[in-house]
Amino acid sequence: MFSKHSNTRHFKPLRKALLARSQVEISRRCLSSSPTPSKSKVIFSGIQPTGIPHLGNYLGALRQWVKLQETESDDTRLLYSLVDLHAITVKQDPRQLRQWRHESLATLLAIGLDPARSIIFHQSDVPAHSELMWILSCTASVGHLSRMTQWKSKLALPENAKPLDSPLQLGLFSYPVLQAADILVHQATHVPVGEDQSQHLEFTRSCATGFNHLYGDVLTEPETILSPAKRVMSLSKPADKKMSKSDTNYKSRILITDSREEIQRKVKTAVTDSIDGITFDPINRPGIANLVTIMQYLLEDELITPEELVKDIPTKSALKDRVTDVIDAHIEPIRERFNKLMSPDDRDYLIDVAEEGAEMAITSAEETMKKVRDAIGFGSASYK
């Protein structure tokens, strides 16, 4: 899972070389006499640093990030961000958020992201994200934002809720503009998302289209890479609730750093039903179906159907034992790598990854912001 570049001793000189190469390439593109240089593929995605990711996060997004790193060509730029500015749309304890940022970075490395191949950074370390958000806010539609579903679900409001008639803070309402800026500031051509995020990517394209209509062809309209994994449901409410970091019942989710004992305890208490035997029936047996689906996703064998997976499993107890084994076998190396990265010996390594990831992300974002500033009249090109 981990490349040869993951060795801490080789990290710093290699990253500096990559940073220098990136700056040279950007300078070359900026100085090119070609009026319409071809755009290389750029993939961007982010996750909030609000606790250790669970299996739903991993199967829905994070595992795909690693696969993209392994399968994309060398000239594809990969950027993965810990979007801490998004995290403060709800109140956070500062000490807890610092710890979460540290743990979240360690988690991305533990799952197999390689800082010698992918740019990994904290969103708040790159000021251009906030700068472009404000610029896009000056053209974004309040009507469009009011129809977004995320702020309504965060506040448990009905679909017909109106912004001015609800206890809504500006950051939560306008964060899709920041999400658009995250993507557009790096000229991302592709964004891996789950089905529940497709609305936000459509808004991002709308922001790019609106800006380009006013100021010329500056921002890239990104395409969607849909995650192949479906939703992973809560272990305690599998019929109607996704696995979530914010669920007050810690047994509802399995973290990708859980010990075998923790996995076994949570799977043992997972809600199933009172029907005898094991069958795969998502409608009538959502709890059983959720456990089988998790097992199928982790085994990654497309030739085995859910029905085939359960045909030789006689009881719920046997199913839960099998699911525990599959989960633990998959996340054991992740857990071990995470624990090593969180040790005092590797603290400086994590700091280096964050700092040099931020340097490369700043370089990437600044290429776009020079064009944006010139387009709207802020840049030095205004005086020429």
Side-chain angles (χ1 to χ4, degrees), residues 31-67:
L31 294 172
S32 172
S33 59
S34 173
T36 56
S38 60
K39 293 181 179 179
S40 59
K41 192 173 182 179
V42 181
I43 296 175
F44 175 91
S45 195
I47 187 171
Q48 291 193 31
T50 50
I52 301 294
H54 51 67
L55 278 181
N57 302 134
Y58 177 68
L59 293 171
L62 300 181
R63 184 167 67 172
Q64 188 182 21
W65 294 6
V66 178
K67 289 182 178 179

Side-chain angles (χ1 to χ4, degrees), residues 300-311:
E300 294 190 275
D301 189 341
E302 297 179 356
L303 299 179
I304 300 179
T305 66
E307 291 78 9
E308 290 172 326
L309 276 177
V310 302
K311 69 179 181 180

Side-chain angles (χ1 to χ4, degrees), residues 53-293:
H54 51 67
L55 278 181
N57 302 134
Y58 177 68
L59 293 171
L62 300 181
R63 184 167 67 172
Q64 188 182 21
W65 294 6
V66 178
K67 289 182 178 179
L68 289 169
Q69 177 182 267
E70 293 169 348
T71 59
E72 287 294 323
S73 62
D74 289 344
D75 61 352
T76 296
R77 192 190 310 175
L78 302 168
L79 300 106
Y80 298 122
S81 180
L82 293 160
V83 289
D84 45 4
L85 294 175
H86 289 289
I88 63 170
T89 55
V90 296
K91 188 178 184 302
Q92 304 288 353
D93 176 84
R95 288 175 297 181
Q96 179 68 81
L97 184 56
R98 288 189 192 97
Q99 179 66 15
W100 278 343
R101 279 166 40 100
H102 190 65
E103 291 175 347
S104 297
L105 179 57
T107 301
L108 294 190
L109 300 179
I111 65 171
L113 287 185
D114 184 350
R117 173 65 182 96
S118 302
I119 300 174
I120 307 166
F121 66 100
H122 295 294
Q123 178 192 30
S124 61
D125 288 341
V126 184
H129 285 246
S130 301
E131 181 183 359
L132 184 58
M133 181 207 177
W134 173 249
I135 292 170
L136 295 176
S137 296
C138 295
T139 59
S141 164
V142 171
H144 197 158
L145 284 170
S146 67
R147 294 190 294 273
M148 304 292 281
T149 58
Q150 192 77 1
W151 64 270
K152 299 173 187 177
S153 62
K154 285 276 188 182
L155 297 175
L157 297 172
E159 280 296 311
N160 60 354
K162 303 297 182 184
L164 297 181
D165 299 330
S166 60
L168 175 64
Q169 292 180 314
L170 179 59
L172 182 58
F173 180 66
S174 64
Y175 94 94
V177 186
L178 177 57
Q179 193 172 54
D182 296 336
I183 297 166
L184 299 176
V185 79
H186 297 289
Q187 301 285 15
T189 59
H190 295 78
V191 182
V193 295
E195 292 180 2
D196 58 345
Q197 288 291 310
S198 57
Q199 184 186 46
H200 291 279
L201 198 58
E202 194 56 45
F203 179 78
T204 298
R205 282 192 283 264
S206 175
C207 286
T209 300
F211 185 91
N212 290 344
H213 177 73
L214 292 173
Y215 298 110
D217 187 15
V218 177
L219 300 175
T220 300
E221 295 182 33
E223 298 179 25
T224 300
I225 303 176
L226 271 179
S227 170
K230 298 178 183 177
R231 296 190 302 172
V232 175
M233 305 305 288
S234 163
L235 297 181
S236 58
K237 296 182 180 178
D240 54 13
K241 192 172 183 180
K242 288 197 306 181
M243 193 173 283
S244 170
K245 293 180 188 177
S246 60
D247 196 316
T248 54
N249 181 2
Y250 78 97
K251 290 184 179 180
S252 69
R253 59 189 173 272
I254 293 174
L255 306 183
I256 63 173
T257 57
D258 276 348
S259 67
R260 180 179 177 83
E261 293 71 27
E262 288 169 324
I263 296 167
Q264 186 174 44
R265 185 163 50 249
K266 292 175 180 179
V267 173
K268 286 285 187 186
T269 60
V271 171
T272 53
D273 52 50
S274 58
I275 303 172
D276 291 336
I278 301 297
T279 57
F280 183 74
D281 185 349
I283 302 299
N284 299 307
R285 309 190 71 182
I288 295 292
N290 190 41
L291 293 176
V292 174
T293 299

Side-chain angles (χ1 to χ4, degrees), residues 366-379:
E366 188 59 22
E367 179 184 8
T368 300
M369 290 312 301
K370 286 178 181 177
K371 297 175 184 177
V372 169
R373 295 185 198 112
D374 285 345
I376 63 178
F378 290 169

